Every structure is written in structure tokens, then in C-alpha cells.
Amino acid sequence: MRTRPETPADRPAAPAVTATVLGPTVDHQTRCVHYRTELDVVAIRFKCCGEFYPCHLCHEETADHDAAVWPPEDQGTHAILCGVCGGTMSIRDYLDADGCASCRAPFNPGCRLHKHLYFG
């Protein structure tokens, strides 16, 4: 019998994210009004303020300061929050991964197009 691949919708509901995620989120998995596909389940801790936001646009619209890019020497910092399981990842691990190291939830590959807005 052939089965279809598991999708995030097949997984049990994740507990609420324990970290505070700022900006206009639309659900408990960190999706926002700008990016809300099934795969948009990360929030990024911004270097400038240490706060988690779902995306650069959320930060731009709601923070009272300009964003700062994480320098290469800080790639060991756990600045990525998985909205599915609430686990964190280092910047280095996130940049090398296609999904969460803890729960295996896939991340949006299109996010790579914006990495220069977050990481140096």
C-alpha cells in the first residue's frame, strides 16, 4: 500500500510558542500577514533588539528602530525559532537546513532569497 508523504498538517498540533513573537502574526506557528504558507513557520531573533519577528517586514512595520544584520562571527547564536515545535536553531544550522532539526518541520526554501536581510 502506498501512502502519501507526511505534511505539517498531518502532525499533531504543536504547543503554543513559548517565546514571544512580535509583529502581525496570524497563528501560533509564527506565520504573519506577509508570509503565511504552510512552510512559513520560523521567527528570527533580530540582532538589533533581541526580539523574535516572523519576517523583516514585520520588524520594519512594528519596531521603533532599524534592523541590524547578524555578523558572520555570530552564526553560532540560536536566533531561529521553529513555530511548529518551539525549538531554536543556530543561524549556521538554519542556513544549512531545509527544516527544523528538532521536529523535522520543513521550512520555506524561498526564505533563502531574504537571508541577506538578516545574516551577514
Side-chain angles (χ1 to χ4, degrees):
M1 175 192 235
R2 208 169 162 177
T3 61
R4 67 179 173 79
E6 183 180 89
T7 67
D10 295 325
R11 295 185 187 105
V17 174
T18 55
T20 300
V21 178
L22 304 178
T25 59
V26 297
D27 66 17
H28 72 278
Q29 291 188 333
T30 75
R31 291 178 188 90
C32 68
V33 298
H34 308 105
Y35 300 101
R36 54 183 173 267
T37 72
E38 184 177 280
L39 300 177
D40 292 313
V41 292
V42 299
I44 298 170
R45 184 186 313 269
F46 276 70
K47 172 73 173 171
C48 48
C49 58
E51 301 289 354
F52 283 105
Y53 288 87
C55 77
H56 62 102
L57 296 170
C58 289
H59 184 274
E60 183 179 313
E61 292 174 1
T62 61
D64 62 359
H65 58 274
D66 292 335
V69 174
W70 287 96
E73 60 270 17
D74 286 345
Q75 284 196 355
T77 302
H78 277 242
I80 310 303
L81 176 71
C82 174
V84 175
C85 72
T88 61
M89 294 174 66
S90 72
I91 296 166
R92 180 179 305 106
D93 289 344
Y94 172 70
L95 293 174
D96 290 339
D98 292 323
C100 179
S102 297
C103 72
R104 304 284 184 236
F107 296 154
N108 189 337
C111 292
R112 287 185 172 95
L113 299 172
H114 305 132
K115 71 180 183 181
H116 65 281
L117 299 171
Y118 310 104
F119 317 115

